[in-house]
Amino acid sequence: QVQLVESGGGLVQTGGSLRLSCAASGRSLSSYAMGWFRQAQGKEREFVAVIKWANGCTYYADSVKRRFTISRDNAKNTVNLQMASLNLEDTAVYYCAARSDSLYVSRLLDLKQYDYWGQGTQVTVSS
């Protein structure tokens, strides 16, 4: 089992930046895929970014490309999401998710493919 805890959410102004972290405990993430999802008020939870732990390959939703960067810290078993140029549409609860075995990217965009979820952290962009 893997326990995920997100942190780093908060209030930020339009155009600002924020760094989210997801700390994983329980086991090594060497074979895992780690994803970030978000859910805005009144909307469905949507894919944001994913990283494969083994090789560091990443994929981003079109809405966050060039602005968000997902990364991993192997020593700390932590996944980060560096967010820049934030706009009002980025306001949401951000969730970290993990899948115990990796899949092709096409399947990792589906939240149903993830085994573990964090509790979420609120990101609010104001202007």
Side-chain angles (χ1 to χ4, degrees):
Q1 286 189 311
V2 174
Q3 185 178 67
L4 306 174
V5 180
E6 303 97 333
S7 63
L11 178 65
V12 64
Q13 292 188 103
T14 298
S17 63
L18 205 61
R19 179 175 176 270
L20 305 182
S21 295
C22 173
S25 62
R27 298 199 301 179
S28 171
L29 272 47
S30 61
S31 64
Y32 279 64
M34 301 293 296
W36 282 99
F37 292 78
R38 68 185 183 185
Q39 186 167 20
Q41 186 178 23
K43 296 185 178 181
E44 299 292 325
R45 190 169 301 185
E46 66 177 2
F47 169 79
V48 175
V50 63
I51 184 168
K52 293 185 176 182
W53 203 269
N55 56 18
C57 290
T58 60
Y59 189 82
Y60 300 89
D62 290 341
S63 60
V64 305
K65 284 182 179 177
R66 304 187 310 279
R67 299 190 299 119
F68 290 12
T69 301
I70 187 171
S71 62
R72 75 203 197 285
D73 187 326
N74 186 56
K76 298 180 179 179
N77 258 28
T78 298
V79 176
N80 301 307
L81 185 68
Q82 180 66 51
M83 306 183 293
S85 301
L86 289 165
N87 54 55
L88 298 178
E89 289 69 42
D90 295 317
T91 294
V93 176
Y94 284 71
Y95 297 90
C96 179
R99 180 180 171 85
S100 58
D101 59 338
S102 186
L103 297 171
Y104 290 114
V105 170
S106 60
R107 291 177 60 80
L108 292 172
L109 271 53
D110 181 6
L111 60 84
K112 297 184 181 66
Q113 302 302 322
Y114 291 81
D115 305 307
Y116 308 100
W117 291 85
Q119 80 288 346
T121 185
Q122 177 71 49
V123 172
T124 302
V125 183
S126 65
S127 181

